[in-house]
Amino acid sequence: MKIYMEKIYRKSKKEYFEHLKKRIEQEKRTFIVTANPEILMIGEQDKEFNNILKEQDVEIVADGIGVVKGAKLFGIEIPERITGVELSQELIKYCNENNKSMYLFGAKPEVIEKMKDKFKQEYPNIRLLGAENGYVKDKQKVMEEIAKTNADVILIALGVPLQEKLIYKNLEKFNKGILIGVGGSFDVISNSVKRAPKIFIKLNLEWLYRIAFSPARWKRFYEGNIKYIFKLKKEVKKEKEKGRK
Ligand code: UDP
């Protein structure tokens, strides 16, 4: 865990957005992983994912209060969360204001249609080079198509860990572009799922609201939270013992 925590971006959200805008202007390829506890646990258990998280070129931001608090146990201060939804929204806004190009890949067909409509109406200056739903059979082929478009920003909403693995596998094909796995962000941005009531968001309990109403998430909750906390505690204890020796 510590090795991941040490890689997580430690400045403010605002500074991270500025950094990304610079990367777009410089046409530098950038792969971002928005890490929540579940993602870090996948890293612990899956070799391929572990390599992705440790890779020098991969930027990690803390998407989840559990990551911010977990890092603190190792003495690492992360000022705030940076979520996939926020990153997507900020990048969409920036692309619209600066006539940049985007590609959207992922989510259900009706969601991606809603995203296209939204772009037409609210972000007419974005050059949308393509928008493909996430249930096509040959996802690898779509990635190859995307790489050919040379888009400035590529949002991949296929869910963890598939989206990160797919990006990583194809990374060398991209000459430039901000690439992020944004999970369920298209569902949120297109209003296909409602966010939790404001009070939950304010108390950092949106996750609890989402889990409570989705039994499919219960197992994920166990893996990514209960197990995560045990793993953290174990590692912190080990660190302390090492320190005493
Ligand atoms: N999804 C997809 N293709 C698939 C499986 C999932 O496009 O084969 C989409 C799904 O429609 C949803 C997103 O991936 O929009 C995953 O959402 P979730 O909230 O589970 O994201 P995570 O928690 O993984 O960030």
Side-chain angles (χ1 to χ4, degrees), residues 106-108 134-135 139 157-160 163 183-184 187 210 217 220:
K108 295 196 182 112
Y135 293 85
K139 295 187 174 73
L158 299 169
V160 173
Q163 55 193 18
D187 304 302
R210 283 170 73 191
R217 290 182 186 275
R220 286 176 61 177

Side-chain angles (χ1 to χ4, degrees), residues 34 36 38-39 63 105-108 111 133-136 139 157-163 181-187 210 217 220:
T34 67
N36 56 22
E38 189 192 353
I39 290 185
D63 177 355
F105 178 29
K108 295 196 182 112
V111 173
N133 80 75
Y135 293 85
V136 290
K139 295 187 174 73
L158 299 169
V160 173
L162 175 68
Q163 55 193 18
V182 293
S185 297
F186 296 172
D187 304 302
R210 283 170 73 191
R217 290 182 186 275
R220 286 176 61 177

Side-chain angles (χ1 to χ4, degrees), residues 197-216:
K198 278 208 179 91
I199 181 75
F200 282 86
I201 297 174
K202 211 168 157 199
L203 295 173
N204 279 321
L205 288 175
E206 190 172 21
W207 57 272
L208 181 63
Y209 181 87
R210 283 170 73 191
I211 290 160
F213 293 99
S214 161

Side-chain angles (χ1 to χ4, degrees), residues 134-145:
Y135 293 85
V136 290
K137 261 208 196 110
D138 197 347
K139 295 187 174 73
Q140 173 57 27
K141 200 168 141 214
V142 177
M143 288 306 287
E144 284 163 21
E145 292 297 322

